[in-house]
Amino acid sequence: MNTTNQVEDQQTALITGAASGIGYELAYIFAAHNYNLVLVDRIELKLKEVAIKFKEEFGIFVTTIVKDLSFSTSPQEIFQELQAINIRVDVLVNNAGFGIYGLFHETDLTAELEMLQVNMVCLTHLTKLFLKDMVKQGYGKILNVSSAAAFQPGPLMAVYFATKAYILSFSEAIANELEGTGVTVTVLCPGSTESAFHERTGMADSKLMKGKRMMDAATVAQIGYAALMKGQTIVIPGVINQILAKSVRFTPRKLVTKIVRNMQEDK
């Protein structure tokens, strides 16, 4: 863990998966709005580079924690490290996550169990740990990054789509529970976003990706941040994504699943 350039009397945002993509862009926005940051990622060198950049550009206090969130012990370790140096988290951004592409009976089980840990279990664990203090102090914000994938089954990415559905359902439920406490929960459900995600998952050549104009990560992050500040529960960036998410409610599930399968298949 590394800390730099502390500024007193500022709120602190903790962001997982902060070294790249939507997580980085969210961290940049929080820094620009004078938040101190706790940045969590497993890529140490990139995380340090980000911390130095934000320190120099915004003069804020940045704490970096290098953790592999696929380990079940990581959330408790993060929480205890911050308690040890008396850092209170006012905003929790559960952004870290990854996907796996392929037929479920052919994909790697170990990788999928790690995905379940990162996408769902770690998110739930961190929320549980930091939420209690937020409720006690009567203020706090949580942003959980889900996906437009949360609204339908996803053949060829069955486990990934299911994890995103969990995040959506979980976030909506606790947002309701927290009404009147001063704590809000927002779930961000972006569609396909420009990042290294599609190359990592192996779906860059799918029909879904071919010729598609994707929203950039900075735009998605700005929409998510604005919704978080308003206390909005669900935010789906992009009109087309909003229409698609709503339309699946009125379409037979079997047909929806077939359409998603067709879109996800290789060209």
Side-chain angles (χ1 to χ4, degrees):
M1 180 172 61
N2 182 55
T3 60
T4 60
N5 202 44
Q6 184 164 9
V7 178
E8 300 295 339
D9 300 323
Q10 291 174 227
Q11 291 191 10
T12 298
L14 185 159
I15 303 164
T16 64
S20 62
I22 296 172
Y24 168 84
E25 298 296 345
L26 282 165
Y28 188 92
I29 293 168
F30 277 103
H33 284 83
N34 206 37
Y35 279 79
N36 293 324
L37 298 176
V38 178
L39 305 180
V40 180
D41 205 288
R42 62 187 179 86
I43 306 174
E44 183 173 9
L45 180 59
K46 203 163 185 180
L47 199 59
K48 287 182 177 179
E49 291 174 354
V50 171
I52 292 170
K53 172 182 170 62
F54 290 165
K55 171 196 170 185
E56 293 177 349
E57 188 168 350
F58 301 109
I60 58 169
F61 171 37
V62 181
T63 301
T64 58
I65 301 179
V66 180
K67 290 289 178 187
D68 185 339
L69 300 182
S70 68
F71 295 148
S72 62
T73 56
S74 291
Q76 188 68 41
E77 289 168 357
I78 292 168
F79 183 73
Q80 289 176 341
E81 286 180 32
L82 294 179
Q83 279 196 319
I85 55 175
N86 295 315
I87 291 181
R88 185 189 70 192
V89 171
D90 303 284
V91 181
L92 172 64
V93 180
N94 287 305
N95 165 75
F98 68 96
I100 296 170
Y101 180 77
L103 295 167
F104 177 69
H105 68 275
E106 295 178 352
T107 48
D108 180 67
L109 175 61
T110 299
E112 281 167 337
L113 292 175
E114 290 178 353
M115 179 170 58
L116 291 170
Q117 183 69 39
V118 175
N119 293 13
M120 296 194 307
V121 180
C122 177
L123 177 148
T124 305
H125 195 168
L126 286 173
T127 300
K128 175 74 81 172
L129 290 170
F130 288 102
L131 181 57
K132 289 184 177 181
D133 285 341
M134 290 180 182
V135 172
K136 192 178 296 183
Q137 71 192 21
Y139 175 81
K141 293 182 181 296
I142 297 173
L143 179 63
N144 291 330
V145 180
S146 180
S147 168
F151 296 94
Q152 63 274 310
L156 301 178
M157 293 188 75
V159 179
Y160 173 77
F161 274 55
T163 66
K164 293 303 180 178
Y166 170 85
I167 295 170
L168 175 61
S169 177
F170 170 68
S171 300
E172 286 185 275
I174 62 172
N176 174 272
E177 291 179 359
L178 292 166
E179 289 178 2
T181 66
V183 181
T184 61
V185 178
T186 300
V187 56
L188 174 62
C189 301
S192 298
T193 305
E194 291 180 0
S195 70
F197 174 87
H198 306 294
E199 286 74 20
R200 288 198 301 267
T201 60
M203 64 178 298
D205 292 328
S206 68
K207 294 176 188 175
L208 183 63
M209 296 296 104
K210 287 301 179 181
K212 181 170 183 177
R213 291 186 62 186
M214 293 184 282
M215 195 173 289
D216 64 274
T219 300
V220 170
Q222 186 58 59
I223 292 170
Y225 177 85
L228 179 70
M229 291 300 113
K230 293 175 184 175
Q232 187 175 338
T233 301
I234 303 174
V235 56
I236 307 170
V239 174
I240 293 176
N241 291 325
Q242 292 169 17
I243 293 171
L244 291 173
K246 291 175 182 177
S247 67
V248 298
R249 300 177 184 176
F250 308 104
T251 307
R253 295 287 283 180
K254 190 171 183 179
L255 178 58
V256 170
T257 305
K258 285 183 177 180
I259 291 171
V260 177
R261 168 66 185 268
N262 182 61
M263 294 173 66
Q264 299 252 93
E265 287 178 332
D266 292 341
K267 58 181 181 177

